Amino acid sequence: MIAQPTIGVFALQGDVREHVRMLQGAGVTALPVRRPSELARVDALVLPGGESTTMYKLAGIFDLLEPLRKRLAGGMPSLGTCAGMIMLADRIESGIEGQETLGGLDVVVRRNAFGRQVDSFESDVDFVGFDAPFHALLIRAPWVEKVGEGVDVLATVASGPAVGRIVAVRQDSPIIVGATEGAGLVASGIPALLAYTRDMIPLENRQVAEIKPGRVRVLDFEGDEVNAETIHVEWDLDAAEKSGYEDFMLKEIFEQPEAVRNTMRGRVKKGRITLDEVTWSGADLAAISKVVVVACGTSYHSGMAAKHAIEHYTRIPVELDLASEFRYRDPVLDAHSLVIGVAQSGETADTLAAVRFAREMGAKVVAVTNVVGSSITRDADAVLFTHAGPEIGVAATKTFLAQLVALNLFALYLAQERGVMDPAKIGETIDAMRALPDQIEEVLTLQGEVHRAAKRYASARDFIFMGRGVGMAVALEGALKLKEISYIHAEGYAAGELKHGAIALIEEGVPVVAILTGVALYEKMLGNVSEVRARGAETILIAPRNDERACTLANELFEMPVTKPLLTPILDTIPLQLLAYFVAKERGLSPDKPRNLAKSVTVE
Ligand code: AGP
């Protein structure tokens, strides 16, 4: 059994009692600590959130800990926060910017690429359980996700005279552990470990890992050893670094041709789509009577485009749900329902809850994710990896395109297996998909033009994005990209809906982005563009190449190569990603680190 010591809870702000209650609810003996004398009553201390290391130092927290340190005579603890992990260790020396050294232990905690101090967060204390004495305890806290921190935090315990161990506890927020001959490793994301090892263990919820150089032991909360699965990660280390680009987001936009190639790789053999990870029988697939796509944010937008593709190719009805809404609407599901959970991170709390709910209801579940070993892979019956490589920028770019490709492949696969689509038509669509990486390269050459447009509109107060059909998914995604990194108010709209209200927002100079490609209702779309121009809007059009009519209606025109209508989002989104990026840069903002956002949203 892992002995559970008494945990003290200290906070400069907020209601300590609430955190104590949460810990007690998780079966932990916990007490509030308000003054130094109270430290004698506890074995360890947690800071539930709200302040950075610096603030604790200012508050004299390290002095406050002195009695406890003495009492435990070298066992425990000092305490600090570092890019998303709370650390307790024998000794913490605050070192060079971006590094903190737990001196007595040879423990080095390296900040993630963003290197930002957490300076404000809401409190959500994690459960802490461990045996003493230990050398370092790392706790991931959900608040980290809320502020976008800690994606790549890495801690190592090096070998040496004071070989230590780290005890890492997972409660909701992802923790990845591993070990080399010389070090034990803990991180909050796979990229942080790539320089050290390709073999790692993603902890499951409520698991405890004891990590030493060369060895990882995983236990459950009862102290029983668990046979945890080690995953092998193929990601390229370079892919987790900026490689000369100013920002990860820009680099990831330019990695899209390769990302799409990788999503396609090995999945079409002799003209047939083979998805090795999908092992349902032909009879199982034939029995599907409806598909439900659940996702959040950008993944929801790829799901929206997928709805069109699946219905068109397979004629199976598709429902699309925001994962945060899905299980509260009492959805009708049974064994003939197929639920597709889309989450690049594989850790989005709402999407995880939605797929778990779907499985409980007896539905089949397939997950579409970019992260091997992520939680969603354990909650689904089948997994379709997008293979886009690590995405560090908070704004999803290459994972979105990879999702669109994976979902189109999946839709074609369903049609193929159910025998409802002419194989020649499937072949044509596959050929069009094979051409996409080169076409993406072409679209990326618009970078300069998009930058010029971004300069022109960077001080706009509002933006409207509109489209129809799959173009609506592009419009919503374009608006999301812009608002999340430039903080400009942006609305994504179904173009036909504009006249039912939003057109009232149009006044002289408001930029309106319209998606004109691949639209069956092209004429109507042109009509919508004329309507907003008549009211003074500045029009930014994503249009087919050499389209004269679009040309006459555009203040800014981005011409797209020709592809199949259902594949157009894979090209049309790119100028909008670039637009958002350059607008953010023009406004002096950092696209990789948008305020209030996180790469993985592990809280509901
Ligand atoms: C995308 O740019 C956003 N950061 C966000 O909307 C994201 O797509 C959403 O949180 C879902 O993430 P997931 O794909 O990891 O589930």
Side-chain angles (χ1 to χ4, degrees), residues 249 294-302 323 341-352 368-371 376 391 393-397 399-400 403 477 480-481 484-485 594 597-602:
M249 182 177 172
V294 289
C296 304
T298 289
S299 297
Y300 177 79
H301 301 150
S302 69
V342 189
Q344 65 77 24
S345 64
E347 301 293 349
T348 302
D350 282 317
T351 311
L352 291 179
V368 177
T369 185
N370 196 43
V371 182
I376 203 168
E391 187 174 73
V394 166
T397 52
T399 53
F400 177 63
Q403 283 171 353
E477 176 58 8
L480 177 64
K481 274 310 71 105
E484 75 178 321
I485 62 168
L597 292 174
K599 189 66 187 161
S600 307
V601 184
T602 57

Side-chain angles (χ1 to χ4, degrees), residues 438-473:
D438 289 343
Q439 293 182 314
I440 295 170
E441 303 271 10
E442 266 180 66
V443 178
L444 287 169
T445 64
L446 296 174
Q447 177 186 194
E449 287 169 47
V450 180
H451 196 167
R452 274 195 299 282
K455 282 190 176 140
R456 189 166 165 185
Y457 300 115
S459 54
R461 197 191 54 189
D462 308 289
F463 262 75
I464 306 280
F465 291 72
M466 62 177 181
R468 289 172 182 258
V470 288
M472 180 179 153

